[in-house]
């Protein structure tokens, strides 16, 4: 994959569109700062058409001189363009529905009307001194040949970027690659994939789009965003590194802290098993896994958690084996013998089923003491 790849993080736009999520100005600023600090070079910061309060935050983010490209989102209308031009954004993104369904149902329009909108609106932004990205909303349900006409019109008008939005998250990686490749051969401006996760395929589709010729990808921290969310920043960064050997320029050790910041600001809990940033994704209980890890961490390590500033953790539970128990006991200075070990393992299993958790150190010590052989029965 010879071309360059850039993340356009939209936590502050599509991420904040998550139902029930509303960042304060301070939270938006803090999120912009941690993203920039981690090396994200482009951020979709908000929607100027929402009004003065939103514009003020966008202005404040710009005042911080974070060294990132700022994009604002707007509909392809005169009013939204006027609001966007009043912002300090570098790129104004103009979205227009492109599926027949959305054009007709939302706007009472057709393809010809949509095509006619591109040139005058792009020109208006360019005349306002800003660069333009054209967004094809609901592109995954649109006629691919029509998408190419929109793409060509955007390029002709002077847009620097085209965004392909799988608005409803209905594509798979093969379909994504096919349509992105078709667009790639139609135009040579920047091409952004905007994938949603309704079928759990946003990251896969983002990687497929990169492979097929996309230059940019929308991401959000923790995969925040409309409904099931967008492609998670942390997944795209780590998957590009480990699957394609491509450095997205984002400091991976910063990802857990960014995730936590967005979790706090959004009020959306990150699932324990959320890839990359979930609390439990480097925690192991199963006996065979712990035994393998104790012998060589590479046995059950797809990538080193140290890349995220994290470490493996092992816990005892229903699925523990004797090596794990011996290791956990050694850590608290206890040494069960051959006869005690099976009883202790059985007690640990019962404990896990009764409490639905792992024993902590003092509980393990108690289980150890309870299962010690009674001297009266020793030969
Ligand atoms: C797929 C996406 O994520 S698109 C991004 C969507 N993001 C948001 O909606 C979040 C922020 N939105 C808002 O604050 C408000 O919805 C605003 C300020 C943008 C607009 O508010 P309102 O003017 O009150 O309109 P409302 O949201 O109720 O309806 C949307 C209007 O935009 C029109 N519209 C929707 N998309 C487009 C478009 N791309 N181009 C032109 N018009 C559009 C709709 O047809 C409707 O117009 P109508 O009033 O003539 O029927
Ligand atoms: O910017 C666009 O064109 C699309 C907006 C969006 O968030 C989506 O379609 O999911």
């Amino acid at each position: 994959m010879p071309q360059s790849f850039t993340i356009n993080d939209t936590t502050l736009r599509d991420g904040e569109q998550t139902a029930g999520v509303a960042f304060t100005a301070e939270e938006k600023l803090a999120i912009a700062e941690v993203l920039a600090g981690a090396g994200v070079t482009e951020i979709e910061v908000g929607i100027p058409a929402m009004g003065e309060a939103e514009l003020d935050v966008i202005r404040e983010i710009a005042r911080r001189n974070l060294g990132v490209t700022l994009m604002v989102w707007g509909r392809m209308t005169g009013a939204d363009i006027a609001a966007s031009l009043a912002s300090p954004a570098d790129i104004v993104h103009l979205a227009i529905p492109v599926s027949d369904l959305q054009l007709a149902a939302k706007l009472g329009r057709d393809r010809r009307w949509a095509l006619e909108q591109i040139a005058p609106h792009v020109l208006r932004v360019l005349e306002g001194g800003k660069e333009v990205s054209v967004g094809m909303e609901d592109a995954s349900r649109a006629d691919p040949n029509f998408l190419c006409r929109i793409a060509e019109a955007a390029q002709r008008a002077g847009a620097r970027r085209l965004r392909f939005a799988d608005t409803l998250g209905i594509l798979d990686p093969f379909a994504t690659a096919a349509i992105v490749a078709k667009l790639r051969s139609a135009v040579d401006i920047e091409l952004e994939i905007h994938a949603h996760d309704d079928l759990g395929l946003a990251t896969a589709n983002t990687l497929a789009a990169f492979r097929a010729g996309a230059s940019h990808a929308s991401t959000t921290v923790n995969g925040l965003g409309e409904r099931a969310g967008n492609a998670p920043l942390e997944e795209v960064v780590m998957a590009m590194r480990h699957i394609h050997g491509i450095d997205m320029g984002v400091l991976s050790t910063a990802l857990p802290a960014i995730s936590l910041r967005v979790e706090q600001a959004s009020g959306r809990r990150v699932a324990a098993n959320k890839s990359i940033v979930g609390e439990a994704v480097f925690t192991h209980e199963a006996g065979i896994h712990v035994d393998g890890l104790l012998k060589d961490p590479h046995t059950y390590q797809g990538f080193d958690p140290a890349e995220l500033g994290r470490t493996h953790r092992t816990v005892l539970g229903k699925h523990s084996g004797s090596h794990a128990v011996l290791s956990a006991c050694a850590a608290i200075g206890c040494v069960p013998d051959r006869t005690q070990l099976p009883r202790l393992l059985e007690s640990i299993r019962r404990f896990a089923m009764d409490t639905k958790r792992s024993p902590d150190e003092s509980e393990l010590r108690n289980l150890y003491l309870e299962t010690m052989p009674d001297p009266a029965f020793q030969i």
Side-chain angles (χ1 to χ4, degrees):
M1 293 201 290
Q3 82 269 28
S4 74
F5 305 98
T6 303
I7 283 189
N8 176 11
D9 191 86
T10 183
T11 305
L12 298 181
R13 199 278 295 173
D14 207 325
E16 199 188 19
Q17 281 177 213
T18 310
V21 170
F23 299 135
T24 64
E26 290 69 30
E27 287 164 344
K28 283 194 98 158
L29 279 162
I31 292 168
E33 280 178 347
V34 291
L35 286 170
V40 172
T41 55
E42 192 173 296
I43 304 180
E44 191 171 37
V45 276
I47 304 175
M50 286 173 66
E52 272 309 307
E54 178 85 345
L55 259 171
D56 282 347
V57 184
I58 295 168
R59 290 189 182 112
E60 187 51 40
I61 291 173
R63 263 196 291 277
R64 301 275 164 114
N65 285 321
L66 299 174
V68 295
T69 301
L70 300 182
M71 172 185 276
V72 289
W73 188 96
R75 293 165 291 185
M76 198 171 274
T77 66
D80 280 27
I81 290 175
S84 295
L85 289 177
S87 82
D90 306 290
I91 305 177
V92 173
H93 179 82
L94 300 178
I96 185 155
V98 288
S99 65
D100 292 338
L101 189 155
Q102 283 211 358
L103 275 167
K106 293 204 307 178
L107 307 179
R109 300 291 189 174
D110 60 11
R111 295 184 192 185
R112 178 202 287 252
W113 174 86
L115 256 182
E116 286 168 358
Q117 302 311 299
I118 309 291
H121 289 99
V122 169
L123 195 64
R124 180 143 176 227
V125 177
L126 292 175
E127 283 170 357
K130 295 192 187 296
E131 304 211 63
V132 190
S133 165
V134 168
M136 303 188 293
E137 189 188 355
D138 203 21
S140 43
R141 292 194 296 178
D143 172 358
N145 291 323
F146 176 60
L147 295 183
C148 289
R149 300 293 83 74
I150 294 274
E152 287 155 2
Q155 174 164 283
R156 251 193 328 271
R160 73 177 257 183
R161 186 176 311 165
L162 185 75
R163 174 184 287 172
F164 174 91
D166 181 15
T167 301
L168 299 173
I170 54 167
L171 294 184
D172 78 354
F174 300 99
T176 305
I179 184 60
V180 169
K182 187 175 173 72
L183 289 167
R184 183 69 294 163
S185 60
V187 290
D188 51 22
I189 54 177
E190 295 171 346
L191 188 49
E192 178 169 333
I193 175 73
H194 180 96
H196 276 278
D197 210 30
D198 299 70
L199 295 173
L201 291 169
T203 301
N205 290 342
T206 299
L207 262 65
F210 271 149
R211 194 169 171 151
S215 56
H216 289 68
S218 305
T219 64
T220 57
V221 177
N222 300 337
L224 215 56
E226 288 276 353
R227 309 176 310 279
N230 293 74
L233 169 71
E234 60 278 6
E235 293 180 15
V236 173
V237 168
M238 295 304 284
M240 285 296 278
R241 177 185 295 174
H242 285 279
I243 296 172
H244 295 305
I246 289 168
D247 180 3
M248 297 299 292
V250 177
L251 193 63
S252 54
T253 48
L255 291 170
I258 295 176
S259 165
L260 184 63
R261 189 74 194 80
V262 171
E263 179 181 44
Q264 289 164 343
S266 64
R268 284 293 181 114
R269 284 293 317 266
V270 172
N273 67 343
K274 166 71 187 66
S275 48
I276 318 293
V277 291
E279 182 263 320
V281 294
F282 297 110
T283 301
H284 312 263
E285 175 193 307
I288 290 164
H289 293 227
V290 175
D291 170 56
L293 282 163
L294 289 168
K295 289 171 175 159
D296 179 347
H298 294 97
T299 52
Y300 287 98
Q301 174 177 293
F303 59 87
D304 190 341
E307 290 182 37
L308 302 159
R310 304 186 63 183
T311 53
H312 287 291
R313 198 168 79 91
T314 58
V315 294
L316 294 176
K318 185 179 176 185
H319 305 91
S320 290
S322 54
H323 287 91
V325 175
L326 287 170
S327 164
C329 284
I332 57 167
C334 300
V335 187
D337 67 18
R338 273 166 181 265
T339 56
Q340 183 185 0
L341 192 54
R343 284 199 304 277
L344 179 52
L345 193 51
E346 192 45 47
S347 295
I348 290 168
R349 290 190 168 140
R350 205 170 317 110
F351 179 97
M353 284 185 281
D354 289 348
T355 63
K356 308 282 186 201
R357 63 180 177 82
S358 309
D360 64 21
E361 286 191 358
S362 79
E363 288 162 338
L364 176 60
R365 192 182 304 281
N366 288 341
L367 295 175
Y368 171 80
L369 293 172
E370 284 162 20
T371 54
M372 278 183 81
D374 184 337
F377 290 97
Q378 284 185 356
I379 306 167

